[in-house]
Amino acid sequence: MHPSLEAFALAAGLLALGAALVHRFGFPPLPVYLLTGLVVGERLHVEDLEPLPSLGLLLLLFSVGLEFGPDRLRELSGKALRAGFFDALALPLGFLLGLLAGLDLRGALLLAGVIYISSSAVIVKLIIDLRRAANPESEVVLGVLVLEDLVIALLLALLGVQGPVGFLGGVALVLAYFLFARFLGPRLVRFMEGLSDELVLLLGAAFTAGTALLFHAVGASEGVGAFLSGVIAAGLGLRERLEHLFGPVRDLGVALFFLVVGAEALGLLRGLTPWAVGLVLLGLLLKLPLNHLGGARAGLGRKRRLYSALYLVPRGEFNLVLGALALGQGYPLVAQVAVLLVLVSIPLGALLIRFAPEIAQALYPEEHPKKRAKRAEESPVE
Amino acid sequence: MKVEEVVLPGVGRKYTVTVKSGDRIVIVVHHSGKRELQYFEAGEEDEPTVALDLTDEEARELGAILAGVLFHPEAVGDTRSKLGAKVIEWVKILPGSKLVGKRVGDLALPPGAHLLAVDRPGAPLIPHPGPDVVLEVGDTLVVAGSREAVEALKRSF
């Protein structure tokens, strides 16, 4: 028997148990995957689970590219763009914070990215699971996430490479892909329409993995490669089909990925300094007022502003990509901050989003009773 | 009616339908096929009065009902049923109508139009109203006759 069978059975069982536990309380399962990893930690042989978790991350980035690609920018409303602008102020502030923490320019930029980027994947899942999609603030938050993902993909393309050769190689690759989509795309789409779902699934997998590999080969980040292949696939009009086909595979991979992140975090966090903890707290606090202000500029009501700021707390996939990059380039402090932010912000963010109505009620208590009184006045007339 | 469409990346599409009264219905169509419905009263921005989740199948059924596939009223707009060329119509007396305070006996009904009943809120139906019945605001007159006569009667209100 292959050792991965035992690890997989154990991991899937634990994840299912955790998800079932929180499901009873109407709570989204994602934070539980992380916490399960933290608890099980070194007793689980996570390396036996490979390559599922690594592929899970690539597929996650692929579907983020699929859904949050730059072609969405055209469909965004002005209010989301205004909110996104205030949100982006976290970048210069994070950069400053990095310089103050004694990092050099590259390290400070990495830290800025870590603080700036919220997790589209986690937030979308929370919004759907908690049935908030129809709310006005969700539109603004999702628009902000489109901008964030675009900015961070550019930042990663810039920082992911060492030296000018890698950078030029990355830029050339991106250009080649866009030209490919532009000129061969329409013909390819017609061809794909006649193919079976299974074939499209396999081709999509080959395309994503191949692009990631190609990016890695030129010294760029494979995460950016996966993100870009999602963007290209969306540009080819394959969004709905691939989303539908990849959804279940990706969800399994992502669950295992977050389990592994939790399990491996222990090792990384052992050398934790107060500096890192302080930066994590500052990072969490920094974005709240910015997004609150952005929500106000987007024309949201007082409560909805607060909601939108709370929604953007969770950090996730791109933080882990940035963290891995920082570790590889010799910035263990940034990597610690990145991973710790994910560990703290996902459960915390999930709680904040879940209880956002209660928090708003506690902060602005006068709003509801007034409304009830108004309704009560109206009803006898009817 | 005003319909706004917004893309919700990662979720689906959101439609905001504002009807004449100012009430709004927000419909989110998820990638998964699920539909989320929220109803907002006119002037209410933040809190939906009701929310409803529908599966893809339920949403299609509901859509068919709304589109009138299963049952299509003969005339959309006024309550009216057809009796061949004759019609029966329910006509409500609104505040400011000339008919308020008039006796049924004094009504100048166009030839061919007949008053079948007066439906007064909170009171039993008055069938074959006698000439002494005085009309009030809120009454609904049940009128029958040829289409022309009934239309003429409605215009005289």
Side-chain angles (χ1 to χ4, degrees), chain B residues 92-111:
Chain B
K92 193 167 183 178
I93 301 184
L94 300 170
S97 164
K98 291 188 287 197
L99 299 182
V100 177
K102 268 201 175 172
R103 288 174 61 240
V104 167
D106 296 339
L107 285 181
L109 287 174

Side-chain angles (χ1 to χ4, degrees), chain A residues 154-214:
Chain A
L154 292 173
L155 190 73
L156 269 173
L158 196 70
L159 292 175
V161 291
Q162 298 277 28
V165 181
F167 178 68
L168 285 178
V171 170
L173 256 185
V174 172
L175 267 180
Y177 267 85
F178 275 108
L179 285 176
F180 161 76
R182 179 80 185 73
F183 291 107
L184 277 175
R187 212 176 304 165
L188 204 65
V189 172
R190 268 197 302 278
F191 173 64
M192 300 276 274
E193 268 165 12
L195 301 181
S196 72
D197 279 353
E198 199 160 321
L199 199 47
V200 172
L201 178 71
L202 289 172
L203 281 175
F207 178 60
T208 309
T211 308
L213 203 63
L214 208 57

